[in-house]
Amino acid sequence: TFTLAFILNSSVMLWFPDKLLVVTVATKETDGYRRFLRTAKHFNYTVKVLGRDQKWKGGDYMSAPGGGQKVRLLKEGLKEMKDDGQIILFIDSYDVVFASGPKELLKKFQQTKHRVVFSSETLIWPDRHLEDKYPHVREGNRFLGSGGFIGYLPNIKELIANWTGDDGDSDQLFFTKVYTDQSKRKSINITLDNKCRLFQNLHGALDDVVLKFEDSQVRLRNVLYDTLPVIVHGNGPTKLQINYLGNYIPNTWTFESGCTVCHEDLRSLTALQENEYPLVVIGIFIQQPTPFVTVFFERLLKLQHPKNKIKLFIFNKEAHHQRQVRSFLKDYGSLYENVTVIEPEEEMDGAASRNLGLDLCRRDQDCDYFFSLDIEVVLKNKDTLKILIEQNLPIVAPMITRAGRLWSNFWGALSGDGYYARSEDYVDIVQGRRVGVWNVPYVSNVYLVKGSLLRRELKDYELFSSSDPDMAFCHNIRNKGIFMYVTNMHTFGRILSTENYQTGHLHNDLWQIFENPVDWEERYIHENYTRIMKDKLIENPCPDVYWFPVFSTVACNHMIEEMEHYGKWSGGGNADNRITGGYENVPTIDIHMIQINFEKEWQKFLVEYVVPITEKMFPGYYTKAHFELAFVVRYKPDEQPSLRPHHDASTFTVNIALNQVDLDYQGGGCRFLRYDCSIQAPRKGWALLHPGRLTHYHEGLPTTAGVRYIAVSFVDP
């Protein structure tokens, strides 16, 4: 009779998956709970949630046994159920994802030929003294895991009938004692899922599992037993691992389709009127001398969000940057809803400033988001704020990287002691081979936090601490069970290197060609330089003289201002102890690059931006741009208006106009005597490239008014 009933019930299981009811306990809606429901919905599981809005009294699992409240709630919840054919799957929810659907689960349950099946573990917990009472198994995990079990309603009721414990008592210990009691085990007909065909507990098994990508599906494979578990549980200290796996399972991201959930639950801003936009507090943090701060504020101004819906909180620890901060606020501060500034004199540390910034949003009921933005972030995408808000996530960071390196503002995994570890997908995410929105354990430098999150789950003021503010913040977020995300769905920008940034010059950014070459180029190289070859922008005003754009207006201005700031112009005489031999045959009023410690940077500039043009215009000639003389010349009518005819001590010469004829000076130019050919209206930022000896005897034409500046390099003397 029992065999026949089992066969009949098994048929019900196979053909009527609606007989399966998933039961879980969730006293509050966490990010993990929402993920659990999403995966359940994906496979059309029917879920009954117990304990909603109740106070959790079952302990925290990590420090001591607990979970009795779950058993009490389950016992109460099953009282009204009468269908003996009902199958109950009782599992945790905050750290569980489904990897497959009800049919596969029921089929595997049927194949066990038992009425109740518990998940299994490699580790015994919480009482090691019970090990001897466990039945031995020839292969597979020996110990019971209480985080998941499946069985028929009558058998589940029998399983928990004798529960009389407190909410803080151990559910694991209770079920262990039932299972290790041979008579109860036989009466209820309990077994363990020893080879993880139904359930995979990750604790103690991380080395046994891998992601399996196949046919547009993502599963977890247990390589030890060659099984594909239906349910994956990040039990104990494996919360970060289940978060990682949840980025893929079930089909969250596949090689064929990419991210399948990235466009779900978005908050669209498209149809909003300006006064309907969310209010954002942008926290800007300046904690060390940083290059291109002026550019940072230029980009901040272009951020696409109504200024009257932005409050600025600026923490500036560096006196060096007060000028840039004050200049920005003087010109544009009135555009914003409100501005709060913490200046160096207040001697606030970085952690305190970040806590204060978050609290400004927390205490402001109108604050919808806090956008944390470090000064070294180069935010190229003006829609960044809009994109992050529309993701509608608790904490989300735009992925930024350091040019030419694998460094980014997120960690894919943590080491055992809580520091950086590289996840298997980290390089693919950073290099854009996998694109999506990723649950990660650490973000820094730039991220968006929901204001409602600060007022509910993150009420603690001190989320940052002085030892390592970012690590402390992320640690506190993880401990609250709040998910942090990073998105690489768009290109957002990069982060500057602040190493070796010197502050002893007027325009220190000029010296950043090595540390931050991409930013240096954007700031100082002419906007049309990259189009020189494609659009044939190189002009040929005289024989073997080539004219092309190379310096931006800012570069020209900064070079002039830097030289005038240095101020030690030569006297224009033949005696010159700056050069070998101490004698200059054709002297000018000038300052050498070496005098301002700019010679290495100048050669790098020549190699990167002049040499390619030289080798194109003079085929067969190759150079490494060695020079003995590179300098800025100043021409003034009452000082040195012109330069007599001469050859240069170079194979070729580069002459860059640093200011504009008719606007800054009158006259000037260069005449090549052999060809009777003159360039009388040099364009600011354009370079003249010509041979230095033999064929190109030339002179500097008189400057009749104003002041003319040129940057000259004698290359390959």
Side-chain angles (χ1 to χ4, degrees):
T1 304
F2 173 77
T3 303
L4 178 61
F6 185 82
I7 292 172
L8 290 172
N9 279 330
S10 298
S11 298
V12 168
M13 280 193 292
L14 283 172
W15 300 111
F16 298 100
D18 58 324
K19 286 289 186 180
L20 174 68
L21 177 66
V22 179
V23 180
T24 190
V25 171
T27 55
K28 67 176 183 178
E29 292 193 10
T30 67
D31 294 330
Y33 169 76
R34 284 184 281 270
R35 174 183 60 195
F36 167 80
L37 288 184
R38 189 184 74 240
T39 66
K41 181 181 178 182
H42 179 80
F43 292 112
N44 295 315
Y45 283 97
T46 302
V47 179
K48 180 180 179 64
V49 182
L50 307 175
R52 279 180 175 166
D53 300 322
Q54 293 188 22
K55 182 177 176 60
W56 176 250
K57 302 176 183 178
D60 65 5
Y61 291 94
M62 298 295 288
S63 58
Q69 186 174 354
K70 293 194 302 181
V71 187
R72 174 178 63 80
L73 289 170
L74 177 62
K75 187 175 180 180
E76 294 171 359
L78 297 185
K79 281 181 180 178
E80 304 304 319
M81 296 186 189
K82 304 298 183 183
D83 184 356
D84 287 353
Q86 182 84 62
I87 311 294
I88 301 297
L89 171 64
F90 187 63
I91 49 174
D92 291 346
S93 58
Y94 296 161
D95 50 8
V96 168
V97 295
F98 286 102
S100 186
K103 287 186 178 180
E104 180 179 338
L105 178 69
L106 292 173
K107 180 180 179 181
K108 288 180 174 179
F109 174 45
Q110 174 200 12
Q111 290 169 345
T112 68
K113 299 181 180 179
H114 285 75
R115 303 287 287 183
V116 175
V117 180
F118 271 87
S119 69
S120 66
E121 298 196 43
T122 60
L123 307 171
I124 185 169
W125 189 82
D127 187 351
R128 290 179 297 165
H129 298 96
L130 294 175
E131 180 176 353
D132 292 340
K133 294 190 176 184
Y134 268 93
H136 288 277
V137 295
R138 283 180 294 181
E139 186 180 15
N141 299 331
R142 183 181 174 193
F143 306 113
L144 175 146
S146 65
F149 55 86
I150 185 171
Y152 286 94
L153 178 61
N155 303 78
I156 298 295
K157 284 184 174 181
E158 184 181 352
L159 173 70
I160 59 178
N162 294 327
W163 172 263
T164 57
D166 295 331
D167 285 355
D169 289 347
S170 173
D171 63 332
Q172 173 82 14
L173 184 60
F174 170 75
F175 290 126
T176 296
K177 288 182 176 180
V178 173
Y179 177 72
T180 54
D181 184 319
Q182 186 175 0
S183 62
K184 290 181 179 179
R185 184 167 70 245
K186 186 175 180 180
S187 169
I188 303 171
N189 196 8
I190 308 173
T191 191
L192 301 186
D193 179 31
N194 302 100
K195 295 184 180 180
C196 306
R197 299 180 73 244
L198 290 82
F199 305 95
Q200 177 67 64
N201 289 312
L202 295 178
H203 187 33
L206 291 174
D207 292 336
D208 301 338
V209 296
V210 296
L211 283 170
K212 179 177 182 288
F213 296 88
E214 189 174 282
D215 300 330
S216 299
Q217 291 186 331
V218 187
R219 295 289 296 268
L220 191 71
R221 177 171 173 248
N222 186 306
V223 295
L224 192 61
Y225 306 120
D226 195 22
T227 55
L228 298 174
V230 177
I231 296 157
V232 185
H233 182 198
N235 58 320
T238 61
K239 306 304 179 220
L240 299 186
Q241 286 76 18
I242 190 65
N243 289 349
Y244 170 81
L245 296 172
N247 285 328
Y248 297 95
I249 301 169
N251 302 354
T252 306
W253 188 96
T254 67
F255 284 105
E256 292 81 4
S257 304
C259 182
T260 63
V261 299
C262 290
H263 299 290
E264 296 179 2
D265 301 321
L266 299 182
R267 175 184 181 176
S268 176
L269 302 181
T270 305
L272 296 184
Q273 299 295 318
E274 186 172 295
N275 62 350
E276 297 174 319
Y277 268 69
L279 179 68
V280 182
V281 173
I282 300 182
I284 298 165
F285 299 93
I286 309 173
Q287 296 189 254
Q288 66 277 318
T290 304
F292 305 107
V293 168
T294 301
V295 184
F296 172 92
F297 283 114
E298 290 172 1
R299 291 199 177 102
L300 178 68
L301 201 62
K302 296 176 183 176
L303 207 55
Q304 293 298 294
H305 197 86
K307 300 291 186 292
N308 63 352
K309 288 292 184 176
I310 294 176
K311 293 184 178 182
L312 293 181
F313 171 77
I314 302 176
F315 167 70
N316 178 24
K317 187 179 178 182
E318 288 296 326
H320 174 71
H321 292 308
Q322 277 185 297
R323 177 174 55 87
Q324 290 116 317
V325 172
R326 289 172 178 174
S327 175
F328 170 76
L329 293 178
K330 178 184 176 183
D331 293 339
Y332 306 108
S334 61
L335 298 178
Y336 295 91
E337 175 69 15
N338 181 264
V339 177
T340 302
V341 182
I342 306 295
E343 297 198 311
E345 300 81 51
E346 299 186 44
E347 297 183 347
M348 182 180 290
D349 70 18
S353 71
R354 293 177 187 274
N355 286 325
L356 177 59
L358 282 180
D359 202 49
L360 286 177
C361 180
R362 183 186 289 115
R363 290 186 288 107
D364 184 348
Q365 294 299 317
D366 294 327
C367 177
D368 296 295
Y369 296 94
F370 182 81
F371 186 45
S372 183
L373 183 59
D374 290 356
I375 197 72
E376 57 265 35
V377 173
V378 179
L379 215 52
K380 294 277 290 179
N381 191 329
K382 65 181 185 299
D383 292 319
T384 296
L385 195 51
K386 176 177 181 288
I387 291 166
L388 297 182
I389 290 172
E390 290 188 330
Q391 283 298 325
N392 197 26
L393 294 168
I395 299 176
V396 59
M399 189 190 78
I400 56 172
T401 59
R402 185 160 289 160
R405 295 173 59 182
L406 286 174
W407 188 97
S408 75
N409 65 321
F410 79 95
W411 296 352
L414 296 182
S415 63
D417 54 1
Y419 288 91
Y420 170 82
R422 180 171 290 182
S423 60
E424 291 182 9
D425 57 2
Y426 177 82
V427 174
D428 281 350
I429 292 173
V430 170
Q431 294 183 342
R433 290 192 291 270
R434 300 187 190 187
V435 174
V437 181
W438 311 93
N439 185 335
V440 295
Y442 175 93
V443 296
S444 64
N445 299 105
V446 52
Y447 49 85
L448 186 74
V449 182
K450 278 189 175 181
S452 58
L453 187 72
L454 294 171
R455 288 184 284 274
R456 290 201 300 261
E457 286 91 339
L458 297 177
K459 294 179 181 179
D460 299 339
Y461 181 85
E462 294 193 2
L463 294 172
F464 297 90
S465 64
S466 297
S467 55
D468 191 317
D470 291 326
M471 285 189 63
F473 174 72
C474 293
H475 174 78
N476 288 326
I477 297 301
R478 295 193 301 269
N479 282 354
K480 297 278 188 181
I482 297 167
F483 290 172
M484 293 172 282
Y485 296 87
V486 66
T487 172
N488 65 341
M489 295 280 286
H490 302 79
T491 299
F492 294 101
R494 55 186 175 270
I495 192 162
L496 295 167
S497 169
T498 57
E499 299 170 16
N500 306 316
Y501 184 60
Q502 305 298 317
T503 59
H505 304 283
L506 179 65
H507 294 296
N508 300 284
D509 296 347
L510 280 169
W511 276 258
Q512 287 294 298
I513 191 170
F514 290 105
E515 287 293 336
N516 293 291
V518 175
D519 299 87
W520 194 93
E521 178 176 309
E522 288 184 356
R523 186 66 163 162
Y524 291 127
I525 295 302
H526 198 286
E527 62 182 356
N528 293 332
Y529 176 83
T530 56
R531 296 171 44 223
I532 284 177
M533 299 301 181
K534 176 185 173 184
D535 295 346
K536 299 179 181 179
L537 297 182
I538 299 179
E539 299 183 17
N540 185 204
C542 301
D544 283 332
V545 176
Y546 298 99
W547 201 14
F548 58 91
V550 65
F551 262 175
S552 68
T553 297
V554 173
C556 295
N557 295 344
H558 282 193
M559 285 298 298
I560 293 171
E561 291 166 12
E562 194 66 46
M563 292 304 183
E564 289 292 0
H565 177 72
Y566 179 73
K568 298 179 182 178
W569 296 94
S570 66
N574 296 109
D576 192 342
N577 58 13
R578 298 172 303 170
I579 63 176
T580 304
Y583 184 85
E584 172 58 70
N585 188 42
V586 187
T588 53
I589 304 281
D590 57 46
I591 295 174
H592 290 188
M593 299 299 180
I594 196 170
Q595 290 178 261
I596 61 168
N597 297 316
F598 197 61
E599 69 278 11
K600 292 179 181 178
E601 289 76 10
W602 190 255
Q603 185 182 26
K604 175 72 171 175
F605 156 70
L606 293 175
V607 167
E608 294 293 330
Y609 301 102
V610 175
V611 165
I613 308 301
T614 306
E615 294 179 351
K616 185 74 173 178
M617 296 300 101
F618 296 99
Y621 180 75
Y622 303 99
T623 176
K624 294 184 178 179
H626 292 300
F627 63 86
E628 287 187 7
L629 290 178
F631 48 93
V632 171
V633 179
R634 183 173 73 186
Y635 289 114
K636 295 170 69 175
D638 59 352
E639 189 176 67
Q640 181 183 10
S642 60
L643 191 62
R644 66 179 177 82
H646 61 283
H647 287 296
D648 293 335
S650 67
T651 300
F652 68 92
T653 296
V654 183
N655 179 332
I656 304 172
L658 297 180
N659 56 348
Q660 187 63 50
V661 67
D662 294 332
L663 182 65
D664 302 309
Y665 65 90
Q666 299 292 323
C670 181
R671 176 172 174 259
F672 295 93
L673 280 70
R674 178 183 178 89
Y675 309 107
D676 191 21
C677 182
S678 299
I679 296 96
Q680 292 184 312
R683 299 167 193 159
K684 184 175 181 177
W686 282 56
L688 280 176
L689 174 69
H690 62 82
R693 298 188 183 91
L694 192 62
T695 57
H696 282 67
Y697 193 57
H698 59 283
E699 64 180 333
L701 299 174
T703 297
T704 58
V707 184
R708 179 188 177 212
Y709 298 91
I710 58 173
V712 180
S713 305
F714 294 164
V715 184
D716 294 343

